[in-house]
Amino acid sequence: VVVPWQISTGFAWRWGKTPWNRKVDGFRDERELVLAGDIVVVGASENAYGLEGFLAMDPQRTGTSATLSVRAGAEYEWIPAWLRVRAGSYWEPGRFAGSRGRVHGTLGAVVRVWEFHLWGDTHRLTVTLTADAARAYANGGLSLGFW
C-alpha cells in the first residue's frame, strides 16, 4: 500500500452574534453562517497501481503526478437550536492515467430530534442527512449524533 504525501491549507469564516473560538455557557443557539474552503495537493506515487485493477489482474498505474483539489462550502443554522443546512462543492482530480477529474456537489442537513440532561449537562441528539453527487457517482448518508 502506498500513501502519497499531502499538503493542504484552508480557511473558515463565521458570521454570528457571539464570537467564534470563545467559550460560551451551553449552546450557541443563534442564526450563523460559516464559509469554508481549502486547497489540497496530493503527491505522486512511485510504482503504484489501483486496487480494483490489481484484484482483476489488470494493473492500472495511479498517482503518476501530483494533483490539486479545491473545495468550498457553507453552513447555515436556519432554525437556531433545531436545523443546520450545508452545501458545498469540490474538484476530485483523476489519479489514473487518461482519467479526468470531476466536480462534486454536496448537501447536508442536521436536525435536532431530542434534548436530554445527563450528569448536569444538556445533550442534543441529532439526525444528519448527507448527499454527494458527481458524474457517474452518487452517495448519501444518514447518521445519529450529538449537537
Side-chain angles (χ1 to χ4, degrees):
V1 174
V2 174
V3 178
W5 59 264
Q6 178 175 313
I7 297 174
S8 61
T9 186
F11 76 92
W13 193 263
R14 177 183 178 273
W15 288 270
K17 289 181 183 178
T18 59
W20 212 8
N21 296 329
R22 301 283 161 81
K23 185 169 175 69
V24 297
D25 292 328
F27 297 96
R28 293 180 198 271
D29 293 338
E30 61 191 34
R31 287 183 191 250
E32 65 177 355
L33 173 65
V34 177
L35 300 179
D38 65 1
I39 296 172
V40 180
V41 179
V42 177
S45 302
E46 266 190 58
N47 199 25
Y49 296 87
L51 186 59
E52 283 184 23
F54 175 79
L55 293 174
M57 294 185 197
D58 180 21
Q60 298 172 320
R61 286 279 289 131
T62 184
T64 56
S65 61
T67 58
L68 175 74
S69 178
V70 178
R71 308 168 188 179
E75 176 182 87
Y76 182 63
E77 190 160 342
W78 199 309
I79 304 172
W82 287 96
L83 175 65
R84 290 182 185 167
V85 293
R86 299 177 179 136
S89 183
Y90 65 97
W91 171 254
E92 174 194 12
R95 292 285 292 168
F96 292 94
S99 69
R100 45 186 196 163
R102 57 189 173 188
V103 175
H104 286 249
T106 62
L107 295 172
V110 181
V111 180
R112 184 180 102 190
V113 293
W114 185 44
E115 182 172 288
F116 62 96
H117 303 278
L118 181 65
W119 296 313
D121 292 326
T122 302
H123 303 275
R124 294 175 173 169
L125 182 66
T126 62
V127 173
T128 302
L129 300 169
T130 60
D132 182 347
R135 174 182 33 84
Y137 177 83
N139 192 11
L142 170 68
S143 63
L144 293 176
F146 293 97
W147 186 314

